[in-house]
Amino acid sequence: MSKPPASSSNPMASLAAQGLERALDPFTTAISRAVQKGAELTSNLVHGVEAPKPAAAAPGKPGLAISPLAVPLPEMPPVGGVQIATDRAGFYKHERKDVLLMKFAEGTTCAGVFTRHTIGSAPVDWCKKQLDANEGQDIRALVCNAGCANAFTGKLGADAARRTASALARRIDCRQRDIMLASTGVIGVVLDDSKIASRLYDLEKNLRADAWHDAAQTIMTTDTFAKGASEVAEIDGVKVRINGIAKGSGMIAPDMATMLAFIATDATLAPGVLQSLLALFTRTTFNSVTVDGDTSTNDTCLLFATGAAGAPRISRAGDKRLADFKTKLEAVMHSLATQLIRDGEGATKFVKVNVTGAANPASARKIAKSIAESPLVKTAIAGEDANWGRIVMAVGKTEEPVDRERLGIRFGDLVAAEHGAVALNYSEAAMSAYMKNSELEISVDVGVGRATAHVYTCDLTHGYISINGDYRS
């Protein structure tokens, strides 16, 4: 029996080959599309061709009710030397803007304070390194994304941060180290920097001076309202503007600044002056707020000075001409910090905790934070229960110096305890009525010294669990 001609095919082998071809087809198609997309992206970056633009975005996370403590964004006129653009890069499943570009005039100085969290993010590492390298001189831009924190991402995350800065530096013709970075969102996910790179053409094209409100909305994550503040100060008779935006709602117990805050002025200030003022006022503003006792990996506060107002250059933080500017800068930072508390996840009560009579400032601060971060105190506030016994607990557990026989506790103007015991004129009805207010003040005197501290916090409700239980959805 003769063999079939060499050119004749085996039917079974042919069917198998066809099946393999069909099975591989999706992969072949995917690879082809990926190569094409990469080529288009490279062309866009090199030649400035406009990439397809996603649909218009809405700020924040869908389904979140606006905090009952929310305050409206103030009018935020332009700051000389600052241009802003926002866009959608696609870090969220739903439609919303999630990338911010702020471009600064040549000669802009910068200072920053960052998280002390031992697992800082790639953008935090980048900013600290570059500010050291250029000593805060001639910062040209900031790019910030929401939806991905790029934290705990190792070398891959660091490379993504570097590529982001490199792509923007090429776009605006500056050095990589002149670019500041910030990210917020889910921890443990490497930043897809190509999403940002693909939007740089549109971002640069759409830069404008009056987009501060857009900027405040774009950096939101679980925030229910955008946060901003604006002031005008005088330096040696010249008016200068200070604008600031911030984001943060949960994972708020800053150990340097806040989740994210960006402040810009058109004053002419040396980097050392900016750093001194930022560090000084951070302690009494951003470092004096707590929502849940958790410090973020990405906490960043950056202060920029463009010099566009024409005010005289200030090279010393102690210069008397800075008196009004200092007051206004602290006011902006205080407003932003307290807005974080007003938007605490699930919050219904805004609370100021005052501690007096402490042995030293550090002790006063530790006691105040212990009260402000106690789940038992915070849930009592949520239930409108003036359970001052829980405050006694929160004070004592710190093991800080306290004179039990002189300990006093007040809710607003109402005395709950004095001389180490319940107040003689204590009124449960009056206390209950006071606790129904949306803004509360709790004051504790520990009776051992003269040091004081204050911390702002909020109550702890079921809403906090609901928001954080499905944070990644």
Side-chain angles (χ1 to χ4, degrees):
M1 189 173 180
S2 62
K3 294 181 180 179
S7 60
S8 176
S9 60
N10 186 321
M12 294 301 294
S14 177
L15 287 173
Q18 292 174 21
L20 179 61
E21 183 179 353
R22 285 195 297 269
L24 289 175
D25 183 67
F27 296 100
T28 305
T29 302
I31 292 171
S32 176
R33 287 176 178 171
V35 171
Q36 181 180 359
K37 181 179 179 181
E40 290 172 352
L41 175 57
T42 302
S43 176
N44 290 344
L45 292 176
V46 174
H47 302 294
V49 178
E50 183 174 356
K53 188 172 183 178
K61 183 176 179 179
L64 293 182
I66 295 176
S67 169
L69 306 171
V71 294
L73 268 174
E75 182 181 354
M76 300 184 71
V79 172
V82 181
Q83 292 182 299
I84 298 169
T86 60
D87 207 333
R88 183 186 177 206
F91 289 105
Y92 286 90
K93 299 173 184 177
H94 57 283
E95 293 181 359
R96 56 155 288 176
K97 291 184 177 181
D98 54 13
V99 61
L100 160 69
L101 171 63
M102 299 180 76
K103 185 179 178 183
F104 306 106
E106 291 187 16
T108 293
T109 54
C110 177
V113 284
F114 305 93
T115 185
R116 295 179 187 171
H117 199 288
T118 54
I119 308 175
S121 67
V124 165
D125 291 345
W126 175 269
C127 287
K128 291 166 72 174
K129 179 181 178 180
Q130 307 317 321
L131 285 176
D132 284 343
N134 58 24
E135 299 181 334
Q137 300 280 3
D138 202 23
I139 299 302
R140 297 303 313 282
L142 161 72
V143 62
C144 172
N145 73 277
C148 176
N150 199 17
F152 196 57
T153 50
K155 185 178 184 302
L156 291 176
D159 288 344
R162 176 186 52 76
R163 287 194 299 268
T164 300
S166 178
L168 180 56
R170 290 195 302 272
R171 168 64 57 188
I172 64 174
D173 191 23
C174 70
R175 301 170 300 182
Q176 287 187 52
R177 71 185 193 186
D178 299 335
I179 306 294
M180 295 291 102
L181 304 175
S183 298
T184 180
V186 177
I187 295 171
V189 178
V190 177
L191 180 73
D192 183 352
D193 55 285
S194 68
K195 291 183 175 181
I196 297 176
S198 69
R199 306 312 313 156
L200 291 180
Y201 174 79
D202 274 357
L203 284 165
E204 186 187 29
K205 183 179 69 174
N206 294 324
L207 284 166
R208 67 182 204 270
D210 60 349
W212 283 92
H213 282 196
D214 289 345
Q217 292 177 340
T218 297
I219 62 176
M220 293 166 62
T221 52
T222 57
D223 304 63
T224 69
F225 66 91
K227 302 164 184 67
S230 182
E231 293 282 351
V232 175
E234 282 197 11
I235 297 178
D236 202 22
V238 179
K239 291 187 181 300
V240 299
R241 179 163 294 280
I242 310 168
N243 279 2
I245 58 173
K247 65 81 50 186
S249 186
M251 203 185 292
I252 298 289
D255 191 18
M256 43 50 64
T258 178
M259 286 287 288
L260 294 179
F262 310 129
I263 305 167
T265 177
D266 49 13
T268 308
L269 304 174
V273 174
L274 291 179
Q275 193 65 52
S276 295
L277 298 183
L278 188 60
L280 174 66
F281 297 134
T282 288
R283 182 173 181 81
T284 56
T285 58
F286 293 129
N287 272 5
S288 292
V289 299
T290 178
V291 168
D292 47 22
D294 286 335
T295 298
S296 169
T297 55
N298 290 55
D299 286 350
T300 297
C301 181
L302 295 170
L303 174 59
F304 305 91
T306 68
R313 179 179 174 84
I314 304 295
S315 300
R316 295 186 306 105
D319 194 311
K320 293 181 180 180
R321 293 173 293 177
L322 275 181
D324 188 47
F325 182 86
K326 288 179 179 179
T327 299
K328 300 301 174 52
L329 175 61
E330 184 176 24
V332 167
M333 294 172 65
H334 182 272
S335 176
L336 294 175
T338 54
Q339 286 180 58
L340 301 179
I341 298 303
R342 292 182 176 278
D343 203 14
E345 290 171 340
T348 64
K349 307 283 187 181
F350 176 85
V351 186
K352 182 180 182 183
V353 177
N354 302 304
V355 171
T356 57
N360 54 63
S363 179
R365 177 177 169 79
K366 185 175 180 180
I367 293 170
K369 291 196 72 175
S370 178
I371 297 168
E373 293 177 350
S374 165
L376 287 176
V377 172
K378 291 163 72 71
T379 50
I381 293 170
E384 300 181 342
D385 178 11
N387 190 340
W388 56 271
R390 292 183 177 181
I391 295 172
V392 172
M393 174 279 300
V395 171
K397 75 175 184 178
T398 64
E399 300 183 6
E400 290 296 314
V402 173
D403 187 338
R404 186 174 63 182
E405 305 306 318
R406 299 179 64 185
L407 182 67
I409 301 171
R410 289 186 292 113
F411 288 73
D413 294 329
L414 303 173
V415 180
E418 57 185 352
H419 307 304
V422 62
L424 296 177
N425 61 346
Y426 178 82
S427 168
E428 185 69 26
M431 286 291 182
S432 296
Y434 177 75
M435 294 301 291
K436 294 186 182 302
N437 293 323
S438 60
E439 299 192 15
L440 305 170
E441 190 163 359
I442 298 172
S443 301
V444 179
D445 191 295
V446 297
V448 295
R450 301 176 62 181
T452 66
H454 68 267
V455 171
Y456 296 92
T457 191
C458 58
D459 54 345
L460 179 59
T461 70
H462 290 286
Y464 183 88
I465 298 172
S466 298
I467 292 169
N468 285 283
D470 66 351
Y471 178 78
R472 297 196 302 170
S473 64

